[in-house]
């Protein structure tokens, strides 16, 4: 794997998984769903967090839209029962974590300067980002524009 083909996405997955693990969540990577998989399902008690990761680029919007629609069709009771989880009154959360090198893509994610590309997040989603270039410049390192973006939706 090289840095252009998913290495940074793997680092995002690892970092986020460690953060959930530190908060006593169990992680189920590549959780089987509808002839495919969700990148990760984190579970603690009655809380389930359905998570997708992606390296965003200018052409990412169609796949983000499709994956978001797919996530929202996840029936937590039916799917977790298939995997023999105990029945609970589940609280399902949705989480996207992505990296982006293009400021226009970050603006699209945040709902600013929308291009013709569709944004899959309605008002129920909270979105934010951190621009890591400004962090690196403070430490004397010149980076290309690089951001981590996320979207989160509660039940």
């Amino acid at each position: 794997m090289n840095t252009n083909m998913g290495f940074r996405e793997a680092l995002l997955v690892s970092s986020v998984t460690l953060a959930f693990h530190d908060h006593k969540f169990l992680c189920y990577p590549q959780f089987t769903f509808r002839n495919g998989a969700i990148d990760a399902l984190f579970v603690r008690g009655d809380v389930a967090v359905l998570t997708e990761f992606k390296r965003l680029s200018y052409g990412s919007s169609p796949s983000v839209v499709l994956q978001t629609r797919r996530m929202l069709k996840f029936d937590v009771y039916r799917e977790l029962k298939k995997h023999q989880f105990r029945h609970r009154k589940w609280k399902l959360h949705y989480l996207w974590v992505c990296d982006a090198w293009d400021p226009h893509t970050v603006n699209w994610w945040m709902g600013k300067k929308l291009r013709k590309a569709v944004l899959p997040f309605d008002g129920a989603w909270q979105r934010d980002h951190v621009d890591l270039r400004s962090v690196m410049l403070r430490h004397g390192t010149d980076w290309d524009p690089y951001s981590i973006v996320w979207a989160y939706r509660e039940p």
Side-chain angles (χ1 to χ4, degrees), residues 25-83:
F25 279 81
L26 297 175
C27 176
Y28 300 92
Q30 294 301 308
F31 193 84
T32 304
F33 177 59
R34 292 192 173 201
N35 300 323
I38 297 292
D39 287 341
L41 176 71
F42 299 100
V43 178
R44 184 183 71 194
D46 63 352
V47 174
V49 183
L50 207 58
T51 309
E52 287 285 353
F53 300 94
K54 188 159 191 64
R55 295 199 67 222
L56 294 179
S57 63
Y58 183 80
S60 295
S61 62
S63 64
V64 171
V65 169
L66 290 174
Q67 286 175 272
T68 301
R69 287 179 185 157
R70 185 170 176 261
M71 286 173 78
L72 293 173
K73 292 177 182 175
F74 188 89
D75 181 336
V76 68
Y77 293 99
R78 181 176 351 130
E79 298 303 325
L80 294 186
K81 184 179 180 180
K82 286 181 193 176
H83 295 276

Side-chain angles (χ1 to χ4, degrees), residues 108-119:
W108 164 77
W109 186 270
M110 297 303 300
K112 303 172 188 171
K113 301 180 184 174
L114 285 177
R115 349 182 250 255
K116 292 181 180 179
V118 175
L119 187 65

Side-chain angles (χ1 to χ4, degrees), residues 134-150:
S134 62
V135 173
M136 293 285 109
L137 288 175
R138 280 185 272 160
H139 296 290
T141 305
D142 187 18
W143 269 27
D144 290 330
Y146 180 67
S147 296
I148 304 295
V149 298
W150 61 92

